[in-house]
Every structure is written in structure tokens, then in C-alpha cells.
Amino acid sequence: GDSVTQMEGPVTLSEEAFLTINCTYTATGYPSLFWYVQYPGEGLQLLLKATKADDKGSNKGFEATYRKETTSFHLEKGSVQVSDSAVYFCALSLSGGYQKVTFGIGTKLQVIP
Amino acid sequence: DAGVIQSPRHEVTEMGQEVTLRCKPISGHNSLFWYRQTMMRGLELLIYFNNNVPIDDSGMPEDRFSAKMPNASFSTLKIQPSEPRDSAVYFCASSLSGGAPYEQYFGPGTRLTVT
């Protein structure tokens, strides 16, 4: 079946450090890929997305590139802030029919001043 | 837009009691999802409705759980009887299906504690 594998957290970084959260996927078809973010006490919200190979999704300084050859969608940010502390979920969805979203387990990021 | 609305935000109940969680999806959205989030199991899809019809309920843990969507603007998730292992955060999400890719909009969640 379809699945998403994320690096386990928590990840603790100092402010202005470089962030990478790894994500790889397995899918029976050609998926769209997403990163969702969950801030403390809130629901998940979409951070960025990519729909085809080599697409780069970006938002709020975060980026991720859809790599079909390595089935990966790693999340990066050049300089993290304390306000980026949250849980980050990698996810995939296959087009057509039942558009179920398959989520990874989530990676908790803590940024310290 | 008010976003997905869930109530209550917090629920504390005793084992054996009935619990009803409520969700109002975003107006115009035709898909609705109920999820459960725990530290041990992460985010689990419980049930998915499309146009008010349950499409996939394979994630519903057992017969104690039931979900309804009587109209496009309201859904409930009921647990009867509740057990301590049901303690979790329950999220409702909605989306507009039919196009690709699509995104799900999550509500703030209901934190359920069963003692």
C-alpha cells in the first residue's frame, strides 16, 4: 500500500540554523506530495505541495522538491525561527477516485533562541 | 471563512459514558474526514464521507464508534460506551474533491479524556 516515512524527532535546532526533515514515500500510482504543519494546540494546515516530478513547493521560507527517482520530498529551510517550532507531517495523495491523504508520523521541531 | 468548526474543544468523561463530537465543515466542501491522533499511533483516519455518504470506514476501531453526516454542513462522531484507551485528540477535516491535487482543511480538534 501507499506509505510515507519520515525521520523521527524530535529535532532541536538553534535559531537561524539550517533545517532538513527527510521524507520518502511508496505509492502505487503517481502521487501529489504535501507538507503539513501542526502548531501547538491546533489542527494541521497545509504548508506546501508539489504535484509532479521536479516541482518545488515553497511557503514561508520552507521548500521541498519532488524527487521521483529517489521517491523523496525533503523539507528544508535556510534559517529557522522560534516560531517554526511545530510538528511537520509529510503526506501523499493519489488523484482520482477516493482521494485519501496518507500522512507520515510527524516530526517535532523545537527551535531554541 | 470560519474554517472547520469542532465542538467541544475539550471533553472529559468517565468510562462507560457516551461521547458525541461535532463538526461543521467549510461551506461548499463535499468531503469530510474524521481522524484520531495519539502519541503512540500518530494520525489515524477513522472515516471518510463524500457528499454525505460514508465511503471508507475501515479505520473505525470497533462497533463502539459510529459516525453520521445527516447533511452537508454537519457531522458527528459518537463513542458508546467510551473507554480510557479512546483518550486522544479527534480532528475533523474537509475538502473539495473532484480536482487534483486537493488539500484538507483541519479543524482545531477535540481533546477527549476518558477516566
Side-chain angles (χ1 to χ4, degrees):
Chain A
D2 304 327
S3 66
V4 175
T5 302
Q6 289 182 239
M7 58 188 293
E8 291 196 21
V11 174
T12 302
L13 296 174
S14 297
E15 205 165 20
E16 299 184 0
F18 184 86
L19 168 71
T20 299
I21 300 179
N22 291 335
C23 170
T24 57
Y25 68 89
T26 302
T28 52
Y30 198 144
S32 296
L33 302 174
F34 308 84
W35 277 101
Y36 281 77
V37 58
Q38 182 180 27
Y39 297 104
E42 299 182 10
L44 282 70
Q45 55 186 275
L46 183 67
L47 179 61
L48 55 84
K49 63 186 177 187
T51 62
K52 60 184 186 297
D54 300 326
D55 268 2
K56 177 184 285 188
S58 61
N59 186 24
K60 300 182 180 179
F62 290 89
E63 294 182 340
T65 301
Y66 190 144
R67 301 292 188 195
K68 193 169 187 294
E69 64 277 13
T70 55
T71 62
S72 65
F73 193 54
H74 304 323
L75 182 68
E76 296 182 336
K77 185 174 186 182
S79 175
V80 294
Q81 305 299 313
V82 172
S83 57
D84 294 326
S85 298
V87 181
Y88 293 82
F89 293 85
C90 187
L92 68 81
S93 176
L94 293 172
S95 302
Y98 174 9
Q99 293 182 325
K100 175 182 177 180
V101 177
T102 300
F103 289 91
I105 198 164
T107 302
K108 184 175 182 179
L109 169 66
Q110 183 178 12
V111 181
I112 54 178
Chain B
D1 196 323
V4 175
I5 299 172
Q6 290 187 248
S7 64
R9 292 294 309 275
H10 301 273
E11 177 79 36
V12 180
T13 191
E14 292 184 348
M15 185 174 66
Q17 296 299 306
E18 177 180 297
V19 175
T20 299
L21 311 182
R22 297 173 175 81
C23 174
K24 177 179 170 54
I26 292 174
S27 178
H29 282 186
N30 61 349
S31 292
L32 185 139
F33 304 81
W34 281 101
Y35 290 91
R36 177 172 66 178
Q37 186 179 38
T38 61
M39 289 292 291
M40 292 298 294
R41 301 173 69 92
L43 194 65
E44 303 174 275
L45 176 65
L46 300 178
I47 189 168
Y48 157 61
F49 290 89
N50 184 253
N51 294 322
N52 313 337
V53 176
I55 303 299
D56 182 358
D57 64 355
S58 60
M60 295 287 265
E62 48 199 274
D63 292 344
R64 297 186 299 107
F65 284 69
S66 62
K68 295 182 179 179
M69 192 164 186
N71 57 62
S73 59
F74 184 66
S75 176
T76 59
L77 178 68
K78 184 179 293 186
I79 308 172
Q80 166 63 19
S82 58
E83 297 182 2
R85 60 193 169 114
D86 302 330
S87 297
V89 180
Y90 291 81
F91 288 103
C92 175
S94 71
S95 70
L96 183 62
S97 67
Y102 79 118
E103 64 178 274
Q104 295 186 3
Y105 294 80
F106 281 73
T110 295
R111 181 173 294 278
L112 173 64
T113 303
V114 183
T115 61

